[in-house]
Amino acid sequence: MVARATVRDLVGRPRLSGNAARTFRWHLVYALLDAAAGGILLNTPLIAIKAFQAANWHLPLRELYSGIGMFLALYLGARMASRPKMPFVFIPGVAAGTCSLAMAAACGHAFWFLTLLGVGAMFEIVTRPAITAVLRANYPVEHRGHTTGEIRRWSSLCFVFSSIVSALILHFAADYAKASGGQLATGGSELWHWLADHIVQTLIILAGCLSLTSSVCFRQIRVDETLDWPAQPSTPQISKSLQEVLAILIQDGRLRRYLVGCFLDGFFQMLYFPLIWAFLNHRLGFGYVGSNILMHSLPALAAFAFTGLLGKLFDRTNPWISWACIRFVWGLDAILLAATPLCMTLFPPALIVLPVIGRLLRGSVQGGWWILWWQIGVTYFAPPGADTSRYMGIMVFLNGVIRFSASAAGMALAALEVAPQTLLIIGGIGVILSGCYSLYQAAWERRHHRPETIPEFERQFTHRGPADGPETLFQRV
């Protein structure tokens, strides 16, 4: 249930003090810089196609390497559990920024350009369990959703602004170079010719510098970790780390049910998501501008408007119910897109109206989806302390499983010549059904008197010390 809250409570700034307020400032700067870098890198697949003649088999390289990072996170999430978390953010973050800088040297070679993009994404992925643990340690539970929601809200706006500006720069630089015939002129125009010839490298170097700076900013956060870290073996104990994760999956029934809902949600989303571009272009006739507005700009603006409010509501709402609302709205977007071809034959303005409504609906919850999946949702199940990174490692690993399984299923259905419109219907209904599953779980937990909210869940551990292993504070159901 949503607790009573005034309008000021829901739209005001997070009420933080001390180290939490300091964390918020550095976290916000980190997120904005990282979003600006990500907005530039969003254009790199198109750069590889247009400028470096990338082959079709080059394009999945980023997803391949990021998938490897998701599988590595399962081990690293357990390995970092009883260690300081900041090195597990800072070192991979610096490596990711270095990969971005190295991409500038690989310009002209599509394979290495996209490989470095993928390796950088892999390093970024493995930071996520540690980031979740740091934010949980530093933000008070009563304001954690609101805080992360506000930061995600502004970073989403920065991301879309960066992606659009960098795309416009690339577009006009290419036009200028084409109009000038690639010949350097004398006088003041020489600088513009040089920029047109080197604009890709310049933007990639800028993205790398922004990424590195964001890691340095996150490093300034002082982590409120109160554990006395035990002496750790000098060699990695992979089997022990994986045994700890397996013990969590065996003993924590609540988490298993949560993972089922997340798998259904993610699988059905990924089943149709890669085909939306083709559907908008081939079936609905949208060009570059229209497709980009529907895919990025409109959802980002809606996310900016609603994510802060959603984060605040998450602090007062049962996470199962929050997930149900998000999944209902997200699935409706796919249904509206699929219904557009039929509706526009009866009502021509539906060509614009339905996709815009669907994309705005999706955007209104996409920031909330992100912070529940990647930052605060797992804290409704993981005992405070060392288990946070273990549980988050499982969530990142699950995302990798979803990507590979949904991609394989999508390729198989495409080989059977299943139309994108049909996949939109199947995927949208599947996401809505995962929302129904979430409502069922919310009712089940209420009948069994489980904690209603994340703050209520964490309060039951206030009389105990931090969890120091998977065998200590599990909620065994």
Side-chain angles (χ1 to χ4, degrees), residues 80-90 130 133-134 225 229 385-386 389:
M80 71 180 69
S82 296
R83 292 171 172 81
K85 304 301 185 296
M86 190 56 73
F88 289 90
V89 180
F90 182 67
V134 168
E225 294 179 300
W229 305 117
S389 63

Side-chain angles (χ1 to χ4, degrees), residues 278-342:
F279 181 77
L280 292 175
N281 181 252
H282 300 313
R283 194 69 176 87
L284 301 185
F286 288 101
Y288 284 111
V289 175
S291 296
N292 272 281
I293 288 174
L294 290 172
M295 286 296 292
H296 295 297
S297 301
L298 284 179
L301 291 175
F304 174 74
F306 288 97
T307 303
L309 174 62
L310 287 178
K312 188 69 171 178
L313 289 172
F314 292 162
D315 290 327
R316 295 167 164 80
T317 309
N318 186 311
W320 287 111
I321 295 177
S322 298
W323 269 123
C325 295
I326 288 172
R327 289 163 179 167
F328 289 149
V329 173
W330 199 296
L332 184 58
D333 166 49
I335 299 297
L336 288 174
L337 284 176
T340 300
L342 174 62

Side-chain angles (χ1 to χ4, degrees), residues 383-406:
D387 282 326
T388 303
S389 63
R390 294 186 180 107
Y391 277 63
M392 196 61 215
I394 293 172
M395 289 299 300
V396 178
F397 173 79
L398 176 67
N399 195 272
V401 172
I402 289 170
R403 288 197 182 197
F404 281 102
S405 60

Side-chain angles (χ1 to χ4, degrees), residues 93-312:
V94 169
T98 303
C99 287
S100 295
L101 288 176
M103 288 172 64
C107 285
H109 305 279
F111 173 80
W112 292 111
F113 186 76
L114 292 174
T115 292
L116 287 167
L117 176 68
V119 173
M122 179 184 71
F123 282 119
E124 188 275 330
I125 285 290
V126 301
T127 66
R128 296 189 180 184
I131 289 176
T132 296
V134 168
L135 300 184
R136 187 180 198 183
N138 278 31
Y139 289 139
V141 63
E142 296 82 4
H143 302 292
R144 195 180 297 144
H146 187 199
T147 302
T148 54
E150 281 295 312
I151 289 173
R152 183 63 181 177
R153 173 187 178 220
W154 287 102
S155 64
S156 67
L157 187 66
C158 183
F159 177 85
V160 73
F161 177 80
S162 172
S163 64
I164 291 173
V165 169
S166 56
L168 288 173
I169 291 172
L170 289 166
H171 173 76
F172 287 116
D175 282 354
Y176 187 86
K178 183 178 179 180
S180 63
Q183 299 296 322
L184 285 177
T186 59
S189 64
E190 183 173 344
L191 174 62
W192 293 105
H193 278 281
W194 185 91
L195 287 173
D197 290 339
H198 296 85
I199 197 65
V200 170
Q201 288 176 307
T202 303
L203 285 174
I204 295 300
I205 291 172
L206 176 60
C209 291
L210 289 170
S211 181
L212 288 172
T213 307
S214 73
S215 295
V216 172
C217 290
F218 198 89
R219 183 66 182 83
Q220 306 312 306
I221 295 174
R222 293 194 293 261
V223 188
D224 287 336
E225 294 179 300
T226 56
L227 292 176
D228 294 325
W229 305 117
Q232 300 296 334
S234 57
T235 57
Q237 295 182 312
I238 297 177
S239 61
K240 183 176 184 298
S241 297
L242 296 180
Q243 286 172 7
E244 292 172 355
V245 171
L246 183 61
I248 289 174
L249 293 173
I250 292 173
Q251 299 181 43
D252 196 334
R254 292 181 69 238
L255 179 68
R256 290 198 303 273
R257 293 192 291 274
Y258 182 66
L259 295 178
V260 169
C262 289
F263 178 83
L264 292 173
D265 173 28
F267 179 86
F268 283 109
Q269 282 187 43
M270 290 300 297
L271 199 62
Y272 67 82
F273 179 77
L275 299 173
I276 294 180
W277 282 100
F279 181 77
L280 292 175
N281 181 252
H282 300 313
R283 194 69 176 87
L284 301 185
F286 288 101
Y288 284 111
V289 175
S291 296
N292 272 281
I293 288 174
L294 290 172
M295 286 296 292
H296 295 297
S297 301
L298 284 179
L301 291 175
F304 174 74
F306 288 97
T307 303
L309 174 62
L310 287 178
K312 188 69 171 178

